[in-house]
Amino acid sequence: MKVARSIDQCLWKHHWVPRIELSHTHGEIQADDFHDVIKEEGMCDAVLAINSEGAINRRRRLKFWIEVSKALFEFYKPSVALIQTRVPTLHQLNNPEVRHVRFPRGHHRRAWNEMMKELKGRIENSAVAPDRPLGEDLPRRRIHAGS
């Protein structure tokens, strides 16, 4: 969960609103039910899947699989995968629609800039024109960081 907390901090520092099912984070989702987390994911601008040894254990692997599958195949969200080298990658993330940002164990902060560049690019390339009058500020970005 160390990587997920770090990513939450990175997104927050870049003025994005992270949404993550992890307590004591900027983007904490307070959900009583797994379905509430999925609904929250559906309202985000993009999904960042964190595929690291600490984030995916056997108990949570199915939940992570469902979150990624919903984002890719039901919500069609722009997606980026932050993948730790030498950790098995969830097979849904080996999809041409998902950009990969790799990092070696213990060096996830080095991937921050590349991750932010990929997220911004994926959102810009998939975004439709916002329904806002000219000159009005756009809403702050929200992102679901699944781990």
Side-chain angles (χ1 to χ4, degrees):
M1 296 301 165
K2 183 178 181 180
V3 176
R5 289 186 190 285
S6 172
I7 298 308
D8 174 78
Q9 186 68 29
C10 171
L11 294 168
W12 189 255
K13 283 183 178 181
H14 283 87
H15 308 289
W16 287 32
V17 181
R19 303 300 294 140
I20 185 168
E21 188 185 8
L22 185 59
S23 59
H24 308 297
T25 57
H26 294 290
E28 179 180 359
I29 297 172
Q30 297 190 0
D32 297 325
D33 187 303
F34 172 67
H35 299 287
D36 293 337
V37 175
I38 296 294
K39 286 179 198 170
E40 188 73 32
E41 177 182 287
M43 294 186 292
C44 291
D45 294 306
V47 172
L48 173 65
I50 302 169
N51 193 110
S52 66
E53 64 186 353
I56 304 173
N57 59 34
R58 289 181 186 199
R59 183 177 58 85
R60 294 182 51 99
R61 193 157 187 89
L62 178 62
K63 181 179 172 293
F64 184 61
W65 179 86
I66 292 169
E67 285 180 14
V68 169
S69 296
K70 287 276 195 181
L72 290 175
F73 307 119
E74 190 170 320
F75 298 137
Y76 302 104
K77 295 294 178 180
S79 301
V80 173
L82 188 62
I83 300 173
Q84 182 178 330
T85 53
R86 298 185 182 177
V87 171
T89 303
L90 186 69
H91 70 275
Q92 282 88 345
L93 297 176
N94 289 324
N95 177 321
E97 294 294 318
V98 180
R99 292 281 197 258
H100 290 185
V101 176
R102 297 193 181 274
F103 68 95
R105 184 175 193 222
H107 298 282
H108 53 275
R109 287 181 183 247
R110 290 184 190 166
W112 277 13
N113 289 336
E114 184 181 355
M115 178 195 71
M116 291 304 299
K117 181 180 139 215
E118 288 293 344
L119 280 169
K120 288 176 186 176
R122 298 297 291 162
I123 290 170
E124 288 170 3
N125 288 335
S126 70
V128 295
D131 186 23
R132 299 261 188 227
L134 286 175
E136 186 176 320
D137 288 339
L138 293 175
R140 290 180 64 184
R141 293 283 186 201
R142 293 166 42 114
I143 186 160
H144 180 264
S147 61

